[in-house]
């Protein structure tokens, strides 16, 4: 069993990008400091690289960078630094230094309970951090339900806005079924939110009591506010019971406590409290809904400016999460207008970095330009984190630049009365968005404004220093510089890809890698990709796949830079997710960020009904391409096996 100087755990509410960026940042910083580290990630798909008890016992210190519960009690007796996930992305070296410092706080068993009771806050969570992480724990578990339910309800509207009403002429049986399934799924939001807030505070007993209280909140019409309050009530009641029943010996009464006393007494006490506050909470929820509806109609610009500024203020921090949680909760209650502005404000910042490096290339290093280009792809899929290191370089000036663009995008979205039925996905959910073209236009306007401001600021900064900072390699950076000088797409690339390393073999084989292919032009190359897919048994209709390639290119070129393009197609004739790598004997013209021809195509084939894994592979591949060393090895590989090994390593 390997021994590590440091261990860590990272997690964010959505579990998509922040989680792995923080992991990458910590590992990069530790490597520069000559330390070994293993970081456990709590993503949307579960826990990756879980820490064993032996690894915990042999570690010198722990860094927990998470917005959700990661079961910190197992680190009892070790020096532990606990911070929000964004802190590890911004300054990982500082966290490692704090964890290894002689006076580093030692985490104590049941620290969460002691924090809640007002005991010593050293060595673990403060009350504020416990409140925040428990809330994010609830959000991370409820989010997939809102996504699934919201999309299904939105699809049911394709048959008409009243297609689920048997009394209306638009009624359609299948649409009604979709609406019922989606609505029921979204209805689980409040109980799940409540339950997992309670679980983060008081473990399994808190979860059980939280579910019961959450159902009371749902039936009482308290909305997501009731779910949040109920979750904290459930957790606090269970902690109180644990303290009151502590004199009972665990050996004889442990089972009785867990199976009978905690759930029965907990549900009774917490349920009674929720019952008593149901009416005022319902009134508050209704009042908030009416207020926001009134703002949407009477003051959409003011609402957009506030929401946009909140989303871009701290990129995943408490203020951003407040806006995002409100949008998600309102979406679950049938209000898709508010989420449209939130999504626009979250998509705009990464796109702005791409426009900034296009507008003023000389003001950015090569790595920053590469990351900015990749942010076009990440931003279009609602991955906001690509903007963080750009903001971190000059936060007092750059963050307001991002806020201005996000505020404009959100305000225009509210003025245009756009509705977005899913709390994540970006442009992937465009078919479900009302006024999709205008929505994209509003986001682009906000992004261009921010991009112009960022480019102007960067240009002045470069002149102030008399020269633009030269491009540097990862090997030449310190731990701090590796996070702030390289934008997040590059910062997270290695470990984001590591998180699916064991899966690359499932979509990429030697047969899917072909070298020395001759193509006349881009369309001919895409046609050959489609034919290769059919030849390898990955699809049944080459023409259908080819048309989807062309359709994707018409929406925006997949050409990147350094001679690489990443075309992808999604179609019913594609049997399973797969990846193709084709190298051409002669470069062909392709619209790319650096205006250079393409000689290497990395293509993704996506079935019509996909579980979303292709987004992970696509995103990770795009991030890998920001690393000069990876691109050099890819171009230097002379056999399919070498390329396959490169992706798997």
């Amino acid at each position: 069993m390997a021994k590590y100087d440091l261990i860590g755990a990272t997690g964010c509410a959505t579990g998509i990008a922040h989680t792995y960026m923080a992991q990458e940042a910590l590992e990069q910083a530790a490597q520069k400091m000559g330390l070994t580290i293993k970081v456990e990630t709590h993503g949307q798909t579960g826990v990756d690289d879980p820490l064993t008890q032996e690894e915990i016992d042999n570690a010198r210190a722990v860094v927990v960078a998470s917005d959700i519960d990661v079961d910190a009690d197992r680190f009892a007796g070790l020096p532990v630094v606990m911070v929000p996930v964004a802190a590890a992305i911004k300054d990982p070296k500082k966290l490692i230094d704090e964890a290894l410092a002689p006076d580093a706080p030692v985490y104590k068993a049941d620290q969460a309970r002691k924090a809640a009771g007002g005991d010593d806050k050293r060595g673990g969570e403060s009350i504020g951090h416990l409140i925040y992480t428990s809330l994010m724990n609830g959000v991370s578990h409820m989010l997939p339900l809102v996504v699934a339910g919201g999309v299904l309800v939105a699809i049911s509207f394709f048959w008409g806005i009243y297609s689920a009403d048997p009394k209306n002429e638009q009624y359609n049986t299948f649409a009604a079924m979709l609406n019922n399934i989606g609505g029921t799924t979204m209805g689980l939001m409040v109980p799940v939110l409540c339950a997992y807030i309670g679980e983060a505070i008081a473990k399994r007993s808190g979860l059980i009591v939280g579910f019961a209280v959450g159902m009371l909140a749902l039936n009482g019409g308290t909305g997501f506010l009731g779910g949040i309050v109920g979750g904290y009530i459930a957790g606090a009641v269970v902690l109180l019971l644990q303290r009151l029943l502590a004199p009972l010996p665990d050996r004889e009464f442990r089972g009785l406590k867990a199976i009978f006393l905690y759930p029965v007494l907990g549900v009774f006490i917490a349920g009674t409290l929720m019952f008593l506050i149901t009416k005022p909470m319902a009134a508050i929820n209704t009042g908030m809904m009416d207020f926001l509806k009134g703002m949407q109609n009477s003051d959409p610009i003011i609402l957009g400016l506030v929401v946009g500024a909140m989303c871009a203020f701290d990129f995943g921090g408490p203020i951003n999460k407040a806006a995002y949680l409100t949008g998600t909760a309102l979406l679950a209650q049938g209000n898709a207008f508010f989420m449209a502005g939130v999504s626009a404000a979250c998509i705009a910042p990464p796109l702005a970095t791409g426009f900034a490096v296009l507008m003023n290339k000389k003001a950015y290093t090569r790595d920053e330009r590469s990351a900015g280009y990749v942010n076009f792809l990440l931003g279009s899929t609602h991955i906001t984190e690509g903007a963080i290191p750009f903001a971190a370089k000059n936060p007092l000036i750059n963050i307001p630049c991002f806020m201005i663009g996000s505020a404009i995008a959100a305000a225009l979205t509210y003025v245009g009365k756009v509705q977005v039925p899913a709390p994540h996905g970006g442009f992937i959910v465009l078919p479900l968005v009302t006024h999709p073209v205008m929505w994209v236009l509003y986001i682009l306007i906000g992004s261009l404004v921010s991009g112009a401001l960022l480019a102007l600021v960067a240009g002045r900064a470069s002149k102030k220093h008399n020269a633009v900072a030269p491009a540097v390699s990862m090997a030449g950076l310190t731990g701090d510089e590796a996070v702030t000088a390289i934008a997040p797409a590059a910062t997270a690339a290695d470990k984001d890809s590591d998180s699916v390393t064991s899966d690359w073999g499932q979509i990429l084989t030697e047969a899917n890698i072909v070298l020395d292919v001759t193509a006349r032009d881009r369309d001919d190359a895409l046609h050959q990709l489609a034919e290769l897919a059919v030849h390898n048994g990955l699809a049944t209709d080459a023409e259908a796949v080819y048309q989807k390639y062309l359709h994707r290119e018409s929406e925006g070129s997949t050409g990147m830079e350094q001679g690489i393009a990443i075309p992808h197609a999604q179609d019913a004739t594609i049997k399973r997710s797969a990846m193709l790598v084709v190298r051409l004997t002669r470069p062909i013209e392709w619209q790319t960020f650096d205006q250079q021809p393409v000689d290497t195509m990395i293509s993704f084939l996506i079935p019509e009904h996909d579980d979303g894994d292709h987004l992970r592979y696509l995103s990770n591949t795009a991030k890998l391409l920001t690393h000069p060393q990876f691109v050099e090895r890819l171009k230097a590989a002379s056999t399919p096996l070498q390329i396959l090994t490169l992706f798997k390593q």
Side-chain angles (χ1 to χ4, degrees):
M1 175 66 67
K3 295 183 179 181
Y4 300 93
D5 297 313
L6 287 156
I7 56 174
T10 63
C12 64
T14 57
I16 295 176
H18 268 106
T19 301
Y20 303 105
M21 291 171 60
Q23 178 194 28
E24 169 72 3
L26 288 170
E27 292 181 342
Q28 290 276 347
Q31 182 180 7
K32 300 302 179 184
M33 298 168 70
L35 300 170
T36 58
I37 188 172
K38 178 179 178 180
V39 181
E40 173 185 280
T41 56
H42 293 248
Q44 194 56 252
T45 58
V47 179
D48 294 322
D49 298 323
L51 296 167
T52 66
Q53 189 58 51
E54 185 175 352
E55 290 168 342
I56 295 173
D57 293 340
N58 290 322
R60 293 168 53 190
V62 186
V63 176
V64 176
S66 178
D67 294 337
I68 62 175
D69 178 42
V70 296
D71 188 19
D73 281 352
R74 53 196 166 132
F75 304 135
L78 286 173
V80 177
V81 172
M82 302 186 73
V83 294
V85 67
I89 300 173
K90 295 177 181 177
D91 199 346
K93 184 177 182 297
K94 177 183 177 183
L95 300 181
I96 293 175
D97 287 337
E98 290 179 358
L100 294 175
D103 60 346
V106 175
Y107 195 90
K108 301 176 182 178
D110 298 326
Q111 187 72 40
R113 301 180 194 177
K114 295 181 180 180
D119 288 359
D120 182 13
K121 299 175 186 177
R122 284 180 59 84
E125 293 178 292
S126 65
I127 295 177
H129 190 250
L130 174 64
I131 292 173
Y132 179 70
T133 55
S134 56
L135 176 61
M136 290 302 103
N137 193 56
V139 171
S140 68
H141 284 88
M142 82 164 189
L143 186 58
L145 293 170
V146 181
V147 173
V151 170
L152 290 177
V153 170
I155 293 176
S156 74
F157 293 152
F158 286 170
W159 284 268
I161 193 66
Y162 301 108
S163 58
D165 184 359
K167 299 179 181 179
N168 194 282
E169 61 182 9
Q170 293 182 344
Y171 178 74
N172 178 277
T173 304
F174 182 71
M177 181 189 72
L178 286 178
N179 190 281
N180 183 266
I181 294 173
T184 301
T185 302
M186 293 182 72
L188 291 171
M189 184 201 83
V190 172
V192 169
L193 173 65
C194 184
Y196 281 94
I197 290 175
E199 189 263 353
I201 297 173
K203 306 307 177 186
R204 185 175 179 180
S205 295
L207 177 77
I208 302 304
V209 176
F211 267 123
V213 175
M215 287 302 299
L216 291 172
L218 174 66
N219 294 333
T222 63
F224 82 100
L225 292 177
I228 293 173
V229 173
Y232 291 120
I233 289 176
V237 166
V238 172
L239 290 182
L240 177 62
L241 289 173
Q242 289 172 346
R243 179 163 294 186
L244 292 176
L245 299 176
L248 295 178
D250 273 348
R251 177 175 297 181
E252 292 84 2
F253 292 95
R254 178 178 297 171
L256 180 64
K257 290 179 183 179
I259 300 298
F260 184 80
L261 295 177
Y262 292 153
V264 173
L265 294 176
V267 169
F268 170 69
I269 298 173
T272 300
L273 293 173
M274 176 53 66
F275 184 79
L276 293 175
I277 66 172
T278 291
K279 287 187 178 179
M281 286 299 303
I284 294 173
N285 182 64
T286 301
M288 187 193 73
M289 291 283 290
D290 292 341
F291 172 75
L292 290 174
K293 287 180 180 178
M295 286 285 288
Q296 289 169 189
N297 296 323
S298 62
D299 299 297
I301 295 179
I302 295 177
L303 179 63
L305 294 177
V306 172
V307 169
M310 290 177 67
C311 290
F313 179 76
D314 54 0
F315 298 113
I319 296 177
N320 172 282
K321 285 295 190 298
Y324 186 75
L325 176 59
T326 302
T328 303
L330 293 179
L331 181 62
Q333 298 185 38
N335 184 336
F337 290 99
F338 194 89
M339 178 49 72
V342 173
S343 294
C346 291
I347 294 172
L351 297 184
T353 66
F355 287 127
V357 299
L358 285 176
M359 293 177 185
N360 196 350
K361 294 182 179 181
K362 294 182 178 180
Y364 294 94
T365 67
R366 177 180 176 182
D367 289 315
E368 289 171 335
R369 291 196 299 271
S370 296
Y373 299 148
V374 172
N375 277 345
F376 280 122
L377 180 64
L378 300 182
S380 66
T381 57
H382 198 146
I383 298 178
T384 312
E385 289 82 353
I388 292 178
F390 284 87
K393 287 192 66 177
N394 193 356
L396 293 180
I397 297 179
N398 287 353
I399 288 179
C401 293
F402 284 119
M403 292 171 66
I404 291 171
S406 290
I408 291 173
L412 290 174
T413 295
Y414 289 137
V415 171
K417 298 187 179 301
V418 178
Q419 297 185 60
V420 176
H424 215 280
F427 296 156
I428 297 173
V429 299
L430 274 180
L432 307 177
V433 176
T434 61
H435 313 299
V437 175
M438 296 305 298
W439 188 54
V440 173
L441 178 61
Y442 298 151
I443 294 173
L444 291 178
I445 291 174
S447 302
L448 284 167
V449 171
S450 285
L453 293 174
L454 291 170
L456 179 63
V457 170
R460 289 183 175 180
S462 65
K463 291 179 181 178
K464 183 178 179 180
H465 290 86
N466 298 321
V468 176
V472 293
S473 67
M474 289 288 290
L477 297 177
T478 65
D480 283 335
E481 293 167 338
V483 179
T484 57
I486 298 179
T491 303
D494 287 336
K495 200 59 199 181
D496 260 354
S497 61
D498 286 346
S499 68
V500 295
T501 293
S502 59
D503 297 330
W504 282 114
Q506 296 183 16
I507 67 167
L508 181 63
T509 64
E510 277 193 77
N512 293 356
I513 304 173
V514 182
L515 308 180
D516 300 326
V517 173
T518 300
R520 297 186 303 275
D521 51 28
R522 185 203 68 178
D523 291 356
D524 183 35
L526 293 175
H527 209 287
Q528 292 193 52
L529 280 175
E531 290 177 344
L532 176 61
V534 173
H535 180 271
N536 287 358
L538 305 173
T540 59
D541 189 336
E543 183 60 26
V545 175
Y546 171 62
Q547 291 299 326
K548 288 301 173 70
Y549 277 134
L550 292 180
H551 178 70
R552 174 60 185 85
E553 295 298 324
S554 68
E555 295 178 339
S557 176
T558 59
M560 302 298 286
E561 61 174 354
Q562 302 180 80
I564 297 175
I566 51 174
H568 38 285
Q570 184 169 14
D571 190 71
T573 64
I574 296 174
K575 298 179 180 179
R576 60 183 178 82
S577 295
M579 179 177 173
L580 305 174
V581 179
V582 173
R583 182 188 296 158
L584 305 175
T585 56
R586 180 178 58 84
I588 57 176
E589 291 299 319
W590 203 305
Q591 185 178 348
T592 59
F593 294 125
D594 57 4
Q595 306 302 317
Q596 297 299 312
V598 166
D599 62 7
T600 303
M601 298 180 293
I602 302 175
S603 174
F604 292 88
L605 301 171
I606 310 158
E608 184 176 26
H609 302 291
D610 178 64
D611 59 7
D613 277 351
H614 74 278
L615 295 176
R616 198 157 49 112
Y617 288 111
L618 184 61
S619 176
N620 287 327
T621 299
K623 294 172 187 176
L624 283 174
L625 297 181
T626 66
H627 286 250
Q629 292 179 346
F630 177 84
V631 175
E632 290 173 4
R633 293 175 64 188
L634 177 64
K635 293 298 185 73
S638 58
T639 67
L641 179 59
Q642 290 178 350
I643 292 178
L644 178 62
T645 303
L646 177 61
F647 275 95
K648 285 187 174 183
Q649 286 179 341

